[in-house]
Amino acid sequence: MRKTIFTLFILLGCTFSALAQSESEQLRSIYDNAEENYNIGRIDEAEKELQDNLEKFPSNLRQSAYRLLALCSLGNDQEQLAEERTKLLLQLNPYFSPSGNDPQRFIDMVERIKAGRTATITTASSQAENLSEVPVPTTLITEEMIRNCGASNLQEVLAAYVPGMYIVDCNDDINISMRGIYSNSQEKILIMLNGHRLNSYCTNIASPDFSIGLEKLKQIEVLRGPASSLYGNVALTAVVNLITKQGADIDGIEAKVGAGNYGQLRGNLIFGKRYFDLDLLVWGTFYKANGEKRFVHKEDTALGAELGTDGDVTIGGIGSKPSYDIGTSLKYKNLTFLYNTQYSQIQAPMTTTFLYNPYDIEKYKTYNGIRPSFTTVSHHADLSYGQQIHKNVYLKGSIAYDNSDMTHYQVISDNNIPGLLDMLPLPEASRAMIDPNAGGFSRYISGQEHTFGVKLQGDWNYLTTKNHKGLLTFGSEYSYFQLDDTRYTFGYNFIKTLPETTNISELGKGHENSYNVYAQLKHQWKSFIFNAGLRFDYKNKYDNVKIKEFSPRLALIYVQPKWNIKLSYSKSFIDAPYLYRKSNIFIIAFLNYGTIDLTDDLSPESLHSYQLTFGTTQWLKGLDFEINAFYNKARDIIYMGIMEHTNSGNSDIYGLEFSGSYEHPRFTAKVSASWQKAKKYEAYYQSIKPMNLPEFTANGVFAWQATKHLKLHSHLAFSSHQYNQCYNIKNYITSQQIQSVLNNVYSKYENLEDFPLSDFEKIMTPEDYQIYLKYNAKFVELEQKEEYYVKKDISSYFTVNLGATYKIGNLELGVNVHNLFDKKYYLSGASTGLIPQKGRWWMFDIAYKF
């Protein structure tokens, strides 16, 4: 079905291209003739040809025409007219940069005009606004910046440019952290495509991985801080809005292929065209990598020399099938249609969280052709229509449908570990089926989700005078989520599977409804801006538990021509993912605790943030920078234990962030840095040092137009020392065996948690009470021992990436080298171990514009 849809879109695009081909070639010929006349000094003739056909030119050719018209004006010493035409050029393309071969007068004019302009974004208020007016610190990443950093996926782009964001490796998935808050997968940051949510409604996950193609993007807008006042659930720590190009930006076909040293294969094809009021963009991207093999000694695993095993791990493996991103955007006047399908398969280097150890993926059975991996295939479609119904009122409505198949297939352990079988949440009947000496343990979860949503939003410019401007943004949204075809089981001996029971499958199914209303006020009085927002979210969960959350935001902004200052407060929340809540119940049902109420008890996570921001625009010629101070209070953060999830994290983190840029006609520099410190940090009910929270990180991206055809770029990254603390696995297994004995005692009685220790004797039999006293004392004694935890240090690291592009006409050759000096370093996250990172990876690509 997906191939059929994509083929139809390609055929549509080809037909559309054929209809416009003859006219496009004729217009190109007119422009080329005008450029030739300019080059030989026939300026007036060139100017007349361009003016006579200016309105007929497509967008990209019109940009070139405005540039050439400005050069003609300068050639005739018409400075003011040249400036007007240059402004029209920059309206079409705010990121235009003159080449080194352009006259210096033109280069200076472009830089002077750009100095008086600031880039605009739409993510913060649903309307375009200058960065200086946005109520929270914001990072804008342009198409050129994406290319200059040499990133291979969205994770690397965000880490390169967004202060406060840095890469964490939680083993299971491609992940990123924002100001020290993260989970096993990326589920704390809202990621959108043209304003439409990509995060799963079942898992809250939208991984910044290879299923999000970069070539189709025009810019990335990042709101740093809580954004639930506008976007509700999931927008806990940040919002990343991916803005695609338009067909007119491409005006043809762009093809790109690449290959690398660890089996990387990448392909990209984009078709774009605009014909009158119709704009069409079609894209397709795929990526595959075998991964880098690295030998790991058992002394370096979580199990240690006594229980661990030596072996190879695979770093950067994509799995047996390539990741892909296929989609189309179709715009006709005020109507917009977007369709996108993505596939991602990430192979974990190590076994599951606590038993971090090498494993042999080829030994494990396949489920529907999938070996151990985190695999997701998703489809998204939305249709929106916007209309100016009054000179001061704009309304927009949209409907959206999302479908996603997810598989979490995790290896627990290759080898047999004494006590592991007792630690797994399995009923006695299942344990009896398994050989005590068995190995090859795994867990498999899958499900298919469907979500339907309807949204209405509006903008009312209620006041426009000399000193006052007022904008009220309002909206409401409804979404219906349903999970079907649930599977949950354990595997053993690599290829065997415990029987799947009907009640487990039925237990996973369910649906939830969500409603919200929001309003945002932006009022400007001279240089002062007051920005306030409030959103109310109501959610009816599958067990009829209701969630009611208010998300406020307040900001006061003072704007001057070359600088601005912002003071803001915002609060956000994120409900516990449906999968987490259900998997906890799966475990209870799997253990067959008949008397335990099968309702989830995971609370929503919350974040309060206070921020003070000072930013500049052209403080010096070509120089912009921003300094932001923040204080974040996070509560009820969810962490994963051996299999279950709990609200066991709280943190108070404060810090400083810096971002700056310097632009010269042939050289650009983008620098970001962050310093953060934890005032309070709790995880797994233990007060410990912050885990995987570097106090200082810094990134620099530099690009140099060395010659007319050759461009060089580099990305330098530094991260300071980090701290990791985890359970001593041997003692943890012992404690779980003791807990298993206690659970057997507990399971005979109801409501034991309601009674103090002194009353247990009155409820239990004498025999059970003696067992309880004996094993509870052992459990408390073991938990109090310092060696119950293992403290690990993650050394600081500094990496260098280099790249180059060489362009001749429509042909472009490129090379990117990641980790040039092959630095060996480690990262971690919600994992018990230190995970080795990529060494020296390189990739060569070739692109052509038709």
Side-chain angles (χ1 to χ4, degrees), residues 140-154 156-158 160-161 213-220 242-243 245 701 713 816:
L140 177 64
I141 304 171
T142 66
E143 176 187 2
E144 183 180 9
M145 291 167 65
I146 295 173
R147 292 167 61 89
N148 287 346
C149 72
S152 61
N153 58 31
L154 180 60
E156 295 176 5
V157 175
L158 297 175
Y161 290 112
L214 299 178
E215 299 292 336
K216 69 177 185 290
L217 299 181
K218 185 172 186 176
Q219 66 186 49
I220 303 171
L242 311 172
I243 309 297
K245 300 172 184 175
V701 177
H713 57 81
N816 283 289

Side-chain angles (χ1 to χ4, degrees), residues 677-697:
K677 190 81 172 178
K679 178 182 177 183
K680 174 183 181 181
Y681 195 95
E682 297 174 355
Y684 305 110
Y685 301 108
Q686 301 291 330
S687 295
I688 60 176
K689 291 183 181 179
M691 293 196 302
N692 311 300
L693 178 70
E695 285 195 5
F696 181 76
T697 58

Side-chain angles (χ1 to χ4, degrees), residues 297-309:
H297 295 278
K298 58 185 177 182
E299 293 83 0
D300 298 325
T301 69
L303 300 176
E306 186 175 349
L307 300 176
T309 56

Side-chain angles (χ1 to χ4, degrees), residues 488-506:
Y488 183 93
T489 189
F490 284 86
Y492 64 100
N493 277 350
F494 300 101
I495 59 173
K496 295 184 178 180
T497 306
L498 292 175
E500 297 183 52
T501 60
T502 304
N503 66 313
I504 292 290
S505 177
E506 292 299 318

Side-chain angles (χ1 to χ4, degrees), residues 175-200:
N175 205 347
I176 196 161
S177 172
M178 180 65 182
R179 297 173 181 169
I181 297 178
Y182 57 89
S183 189
N184 285 72
S185 296
Q186 196 301 104
E187 60 197 50
K188 312 299 186 190
I189 299 170
L190 175 63
I191 298 180
M192 303 188 297
L193 181 65
N194 291 343
H196 298 280
R197 166 176 170 158
L198 295 182
N199 295 67
S200 161

Side-chain angles (χ1 to χ4, degrees), residues 517-550:
V517 291
Y518 67 88
Q520 178 178 271
L521 176 70
K522 178 183 178 182
H523 190 98
Q524 182 171 358
W525 174 63
K526 295 183 178 179
S527 297
F528 289 94
I529 299 175
F530 174 73
N531 192 308
L534 181 65
R535 172 166 167 148
F536 174 71
D537 283 87
Y538 175 87
K539 186 174 186 178
N540 186 16
K541 295 167 43 167
Y542 67 88
D543 53 3
N544 288 322
V545 172
K546 309 295 191 297
I547 289 182
K548 302 175 182 179
E549 290 282 344
F550 284 95

